[in-house]
Amino acid sequence: MPARQVAYLTTNPTPASRSRHIAGEALCHELSSGMTTTIRQDDFIQSVADALQHISYYHPLDYIHALADAYEREQSPAAKDAIAQILTNSRLCAEGHRPICQDTGSVVVFVKVGMDVRWDATLSLQQMVDEGVRRAYLLPDNILRASIVADPAFTRKNTRDNTPAVVHVELVPGNTVDVQLAAKGGGSENKAKFAMLNPSDSIVDWVLDTVPKMGAGWCPPGMLGIGIGGSAEKAMLMAKESLMEHIDMTQLKARGPQNRIEELRIELHDKINALGIGAQGLGGLSTVLDVKIWDFPTHAASKPIAMIPNCAATRHAHFVLDGSGVAELPVPSLSDWPDITWRPDVNAKRVDLDTLTPEIVATWRAGDRLLLNGRMLTGRDAAHKRIADLFASGEGLPPGVDFTNRVIYYVGPVNPVRDEAVGPAGPTTATRMDKFTEMMLAKTGLIAMIGKAERGPTGLEAIRKHKAAYLMAVGGAAYLVSKAIRSSRVVAFEDLGMEAIYEFDVQDMPVTVAVDALGANVHETGPREWKERIRSLPVLA
């Protein structure tokens, strides 16, 4: 029998937050009525694998259209440039079938198994999901970065195939298996927030107080999923699963809210954007494209609330298995992408990394656009920790590693395929390296760093003290950035895999000076400026 064509669908378990798609409900009802269905093990496994490959290089079109609308509205040049990079990157990934982001995510799966389903399988559901993940992440034509580490409290050893997935299972009426899955990046997942509010506390106040504290490491503009009620774990699950829904804020505003939850969604969407955080935290009109809210009855003494962001690498899919074979996801047409192509700023300064000096770094000013050329070293969490341990033991840097007057790029790239020098290689969140910044600047001769999002107080103090600079690359533009990398080689810590120290030779790699040698910081000045500007805009005020 032919495999059934299945589109992206959404479900919502709460009466208050109805944003279901009627066509999707009709299909699920059609598939759920009738006799017992047999689901074959390999159909399930291959469907999971195919979906994970699909979402690695195809953005959901609702996200692309919403982001294109945000680009047209945006008035901040820095934010507009960042959105252009994300949209250009997205189209390149759709064309080349390569990952949207170097962080290809941890896999989370929501499986609703019909009570009339029979399984032709020898593996458990967890084992079947994991085999699908393994197939997807090790596919030679589009290798995905393995980011999962076992023994998280101690050795943190990479499992090498991105397993295991986090699987949530529900037994429901019907004779189909409904699967929603996502590949969730660490930069956005690390910004998840939870609170046990008092029953009288304001949800709006909590959200507006919390969002600025999340910083820009979640790569806005994106979505926010909010779960209200239930218990602590129920609120978190609702927040996570709500992110699987379609972006429909424009449509919601056009038809008007039909219940209190929809009113709250609109209020939060507008008030969060009025904060002026903007794309990549640079200041601008669009911080969130949509806010999803699910709720559930809770104890009279409680008001649990969870909030989880979805980043610019929004990756999720939904399919239904009815026993007819492997699920098929709709393949978008490249004509669905907007005609937006990022090009370097004509005023950008070209920098020769091979002759860089502290004197040159001192001439850069926050907000300057740079195009980097020459050799840089890479390193992120594990490499920094190992360097710190080497210094603590008196050994110093390993042979072949010299940071004198050099730049370090916080990145864990995807493995290359075909003729690539390196796979998608976008920046990771810089704040995680803050505790190592003083050591690196004081002991290694390092003079500049590249990452994404803002730096924290510890990192900022070290940058100012040593008159170094922090450069920001756009999170969510990993494949575009990789096009600037002409060669790559491992120089130390090969056993760390994607966290090894590499040397990249780059040509016109685009970055923005986020923190200059004087301590000026665009992640402070940009949002502050745009928050004030937004107050004067009649449409947004």
Side-chain angles (χ1 to χ4, degrees):
M1 296 177 66
R4 180 178 296 273
Q5 185 84 8
V6 182
Y8 293 111
L9 310 173
T10 59
T11 55
N12 188 335
T14 66
S17 46
R18 301 288 187 185
S19 55
R20 298 182 177 185
H21 294 260
I22 302 304
E25 287 188 331
L27 175 59
C28 286
H29 177 74
E30 172 196 340
L31 296 177
S32 297
S33 60
M35 301 173 62
T36 299
T37 297
T38 298
I39 305 296
R40 291 181 292 273
Q41 176 173 292
D42 200 63
D43 289 344
F44 182 89
I45 291 171
Q46 195 59 49
S47 296
V48 170
D50 290 349
L52 289 170
Q53 274 286 317
H54 185 97
I55 64 177
S56 77
Y57 45 75
Y58 287 136
H59 264 125
L61 290 180
D62 56 298
Y63 175 80
I64 291 300
H65 296 155
L67 191 60
D69 290 343
Y71 175 84
E72 296 300 330
R73 293 192 306 269
E74 189 56 68
Q75 298 177 26
S76 162
K80 202 172 184 77
D81 180 87
I83 295 173
Q85 288 195 45
I86 295 169
L87 286 170
T88 301
N89 180 78
S90 178
R91 189 176 65 249
L92 288 172
C93 294
E95 291 172 343
H97 285 197
R98 292 295 275 144
I100 294 165
C101 182
Q102 82 289 338
D103 183 348
T104 54
S106 57
V107 178
V108 58
V109 186
F110 292 89
V111 187
K112 294 179 175 62
V113 180
M115 289 186 285
D116 293 324
V117 164
R118 295 184 63 183
W119 290 93
D120 180 6
T122 58
L123 301 178
S124 70
L125 194 59
Q126 177 74 50
Q127 289 171 326
M128 286 190 286
V129 170
D130 287 344
E131 179 57 28
V133 173
R134 191 173 293 112
R135 288 186 190 180
Y137 277 72
L138 300 180
L139 186 71
D141 285 345
N142 183 40
I143 299 170
L144 305 180
R145 194 187 82 183
S147 301
I148 300 301
V149 295
D151 192 23
F154 301 104
T155 61
R156 298 184 64 84
K157 185 177 181 180
N158 197 297
T159 64
R160 299 291 183 178
D161 59 9
N162 221 57
T163 64
V166 175
V167 182
H168 305 284
V169 185
E170 184 179 354
L171 194 62
V172 299
N175 63 352
T176 63
V177 176
D178 180 293
V179 180
Q180 292 188 101
L181 56 77
K184 197 72 166 55
S188 60
E189 192 70 355
N190 288 352
K191 301 299 182 179
K193 301 296 180 182
F194 174 80
M196 274 292 187
L197 301 181
N198 292 319
S200 61
D201 289 344
S202 165
I203 290 169
V204 173
D205 287 350
W206 181 80
V207 170
L208 295 181
D209 179 64
T210 303
V211 168
K213 296 175 182 176
M214 289 163 53
W218 60 282
C219 295
M223 297 169 62
L224 287 180
I226 296 176
I228 303 170
S231 55
E233 76 280 5
K234 179 68 174 179
M236 294 299 290
L237 281 173
M238 289 191 295
K240 177 66 69 64
E241 194 171 2
S242 75
L243 291 171
M244 310 286 189
E245 291 192 342
H246 285 270
I247 295 173
D248 65 350
M249 182 55 65
T250 298
Q251 296 88 333
L252 172 58
K253 287 185 173 183
R255 70 164 168 81
Q258 297 178 350
N259 54 55
R260 295 291 299 276
I261 288 289
E262 291 185 346
E263 291 174 1
L264 182 58
R265 284 180 58 199
I266 293 172
E267 180 181 4
L268 287 174
H269 171 270
D270 292 349
K271 287 183 175 179
I272 291 168
N273 283 333
L275 296 173
I277 295 167
Q280 305 291 302
L282 295 170
L285 303 183
S286 292
T287 302
V288 291
L289 303 176
D290 204 343
V291 176
K292 301 298 185 184
I293 302 175
W294 287 11
D295 66 355
F296 194 86
T298 193
H299 192 284
S302 304
K303 197 174 186 177
I305 183 167
M307 181 164 61
I308 304 177
N310 232 5
C311 63
T314 294
R315 294 172 296 223
H316 59 87
H318 184 180
F319 60 84
V320 178
L321 295 177
D322 64 351
S324 63
V326 178
E328 294 180 4
L329 292 171
V331 176
S333 168
L334 291 177
S335 63
D336 291 321
W337 271 257
D339 186 18
I340 297 170
T341 300
W342 175 84
R343 291 182 176 83
D345 188 329
V346 294
N347 297 314
K349 303 175 182 177
R350 280 187 165 79
V351 174
D352 183 352
L353 297 176
D354 296 328
T355 60
L356 193 61
T357 65
E359 290 73 25
I360 294 173
V361 170
T363 67
W364 299 342
R365 291 294 172 262
D368 283 353
R369 308 281 177 79
L370 307 180
L371 296 173
L372 305 181
N373 293 270
R375 293 169 298 161
M376 65 174 63
L377 294 174
T378 76
R380 42 176 286 161
D381 309 66
H384 280 77
K385 174 65 166 59
R386 190 166 291 185
I387 290 171
D389 291 343
L390 288 172
F391 278 127
S393 68
E395 294 182 48
L397 293 170
V401 177
D402 184 0
F403 285 104
T404 305
N405 287 349
R406 301 193 75 177
V407 173
I408 191 170
Y409 184 22
Y410 302 148
V411 63
V414 176
N415 289 341
V417 298
R418 297 179 288 278
D419 60 349
E420 294 176 343
V422 68
T428 196
T429 306
T431 49
R432 298 202 312 275
M433 267 50 74
D434 280 353
K435 67 180 181 179
F436 300 110
T437 303
E438 169 62 27
M439 172 198 71
M440 293 295 291
L441 294 177
K443 295 185 177 183
T444 71
L446 187 73
I447 55 177
M449 299 145 282
I450 307 168
K452 74 170 183 180
E454 73 286 346
R455 302 305 297 256
T458 302
L460 289 171
E461 175 56 31
I463 292 167
R464 294 187 188 104
K465 174 182 174 182
H466 294 279
K467 300 190 183 306
Y470 168 57
L471 314 176
M472 191 204 78
V474 171
Y479 195 38
L480 177 64
V481 170
S482 73
K483 298 293 187 182
I485 301 170
R486 300 307 179 186
S487 68
S488 168
R489 67 184 183 94
V490 175
V491 296
F493 309 152
E494 187 172 9
D495 62 298
L496 296 180
M498 63 94 174
E499 294 213 62
I501 296 179
Y502 294 79
E503 183 180 72
F504 289 166
D505 190 352
V506 302
Q507 181 177 338
D508 285 352
M509 177 179 167
V511 295
T512 298
V513 180
V515 183
D516 64 27
L518 300 176
N521 183 357
V522 296
H523 286 108
E524 293 175 352
T525 58
R528 184 166 59 239
E529 174 190 348
W530 280 93
K531 184 176 182 179
E532 291 301 317
R533 288 195 184 191
I534 288 169
R535 288 177 179 170
S536 65
L537 295 175
V539 177
L540 297 171

